[in-house]
Amino acid sequence: MEIQSPLLIDIAGTELTTDDRRRLSHPLVGGLILFTRNWQSRAQLTALTASIHRLRRDLLICVDHEGGRVQRFRTDGFTHLPPMRALGDLWMQDAMRAQDAASACGHVLAAELRACGVDFSFAPVLDLDWSEQGAAPGPSRSTVIGDRAFHADPRVVTLLAKSVAHGMLRAGMAHCGKHFPGHGHVAADSHTHVPVDRRTLRAILQDDAAPYGWQRSTLTAVMAAHVVYPRVDARPAGYSARWLQAVLRGRLGFGGAVFTDDLSMEGARHIGGQQLTPTEAVLAALDAGCDLALMCNQSLQGGEVLDDVIDGLAKAQLTGRWRPSAAADARRTALIPVAPSPDWDELMRSPEYLQSLGLLPDTNPPSKI
């Protein structure tokens, strides 16, 4: 019998409750995502992650920690990392130095998280900076991406993202390119709207999706965009077998784990104008080719949605509506760090870490948004 734990859920507070432990112990749950609300201090975070690992060592503890405005832990010694656009700006001055700085950013990012027991960060962003002046004809594009993107040129994005990933891997952490096949060309924010990108497949593959193909041998995970590309498929990319199986896995040759973006976002609540229940959203994503379904901020509402999704997916398995995939679960467990990491005090004495700190670009570059 094949086994898969595709659900990534959230918790409400700074320590595990009885309900958290019950949900995280369920075999359909494969991990969780942490937010700023789950943070008080390094000691508290380390105790929280240790309690999760004691509960189940195979749970993947994730966080959105990119640098810039998307950095969940900012105090008690955590380095304020620059937005990735700072690396793109540095590239325009000195491309070789920019790649070295990008590796340093990835190393610091991952080493600090791992020292506190966090396994995985959803970084780096591979979206193109279409808002950059001169990037393309037309008005500015996505502000939800904005300075989270490295650059407008997919070649520059690829090389800087590879360098960030290299730094993360040096610290023993896998990485996740997002948001496939590209979120930067649409103005709408998929947290609150259903963005629509009307370009052709050829145009998207030539620009936004190019970094995924160029990194097929190094990318460990990909997160799909809640964007509809109607000239390719009427479904958002995270619900589209054409995007995930025919293009990402088939044409681009990607073999790692595929995550949904948060399925509670507005961009994930509809297919073809029809509203989805949370369980229907998870099943649609798994059917399309996602390995892991992300359910964020549901514990703040009491967690009933999480319980309903766990029960709904279990029922779908019993009735044959959904069949687990051992290969998909192997892709999840491959993201769990294998080598031990130094604790915080050891990290602060590490020559490699200290060298990376010295290579970081200015952490307070002027914003272009």
Side-chain angles (χ1 to χ4, degrees), residues 315-333:
K315 185 178 294 184
Q317 182 178 356
L318 282 174
T319 60
R321 164 65 184 81
W322 170 70
R323 296 182 183 279
S325 164
D329 209 57
R331 290 190 285 268
R332 175 187 70 87
T333 56

Side-chain angles (χ1 to χ4, degrees), residues 75-360:
T75 57
D76 201 12
F78 267 90
T79 302
H80 288 203
L81 295 164
M84 294 300 98
R85 182 185 282 166
L87 295 168
D89 290 343
L90 182 58
W91 174 282
M92 302 307 292
Q93 303 165 32
D94 186 335
M96 302 309 293
R97 183 177 162 219
Q99 290 180 81
D100 209 17
S103 291
C105 281
H107 184 216
V108 170
L109 181 159
E112 291 181 354
L113 290 175
R114 289 215 59 208
C116 295
V118 178
D119 299 322
F120 184 78
S121 179
F122 293 110
V125 168
L126 299 185
D127 299 315
L128 302 190
D129 186 6
W130 284 98
S131 66
E132 184 173 307
Q133 202 168 38
S140 294
R141 304 295 180 179
S142 175
T143 54
V144 72
I145 301 301
D147 65 358
R148 297 165 65 191
F150 291 102
H151 202 271
D153 188 328
R155 298 166 297 180
V156 176
V157 170
T158 299
L159 291 173
L160 290 177
K162 275 189 174 182
S163 296
V164 170
H166 172 71
M168 295 173 72
L169 290 169
R170 280 184 65 203
M173 181 179 283
H175 57 283
C176 181
K178 61 184 185 183
H179 306 81
F180 178 81
H183 199 307
H185 198 268
V186 288
D189 180 352
S190 54
H191 290 84
T192 56
H193 297 81
V194 182
V196 177
D197 186 334
R198 301 190 182 280
R199 291 176 299 161
T200 64
L201 176 61
R202 180 178 179 180
I204 296 166
L205 289 174
Q206 178 177 303
D207 290 319
D208 300 65
Y212 295 90
W214 289 333
Q215 296 180 84
R216 72 184 70 189
S217 65
T218 55
L219 269 178
T220 54
V222 163
M223 176 180 282
H226 292 324
V227 177
V228 177
Y229 309 85
R231 296 181 71 175
V232 182
D233 194 334
R235 293 179 167 228
Y239 296 142
S240 167
R242 184 173 186 197
W243 274 118
L244 300 182
Q245 297 183 46
V247 178
L248 181 61
R249 295 220 186 272
R251 186 163 182 168
L252 300 182
F254 175 68
V258 177
F259 289 83
T260 71
D261 204 343
D262 175 16
L263 292 178
S264 67
M265 291 162 59
E266 185 63 28
R269 291 183 178 177
H270 307 270
I271 294 179
Q274 183 174 357
Q275 188 156 356
L276 303 173
T277 67
T279 300
E280 288 170 343
V282 168
L283 288 169
L286 297 178
D287 287 347
C290 290
D291 301 310
L292 292 144
L294 191 57
M295 300 291 298
C296 299
N297 299 316
Q298 299 305 313
S299 61
L300 296 176
Q301 314 301 322
E304 289 85 358
V305 168
L306 297 177
D307 292 332
D308 288 347
V309 167
I310 291 170
D311 291 346
L313 189 57
K315 185 178 294 184
Q317 182 178 356
L318 282 174
T319 60
R321 164 65 184 81
W322 170 70
R323 296 182 183 279
S325 164
D329 209 57
R331 290 190 285 268
R332 175 187 70 87
T333 56
L335 303 176
I336 299 171
V338 199
S341 64
D343 64 24
W344 192 271
D345 290 339
E346 291 173 312
L347 183 64
M348 294 302 106
R349 297 190 296 269
S350 163
E352 294 83 2
Y353 169 78
L354 294 173
Q355 182 185 54
S356 291
L357 277 181
L359 292 171
L360 296 180

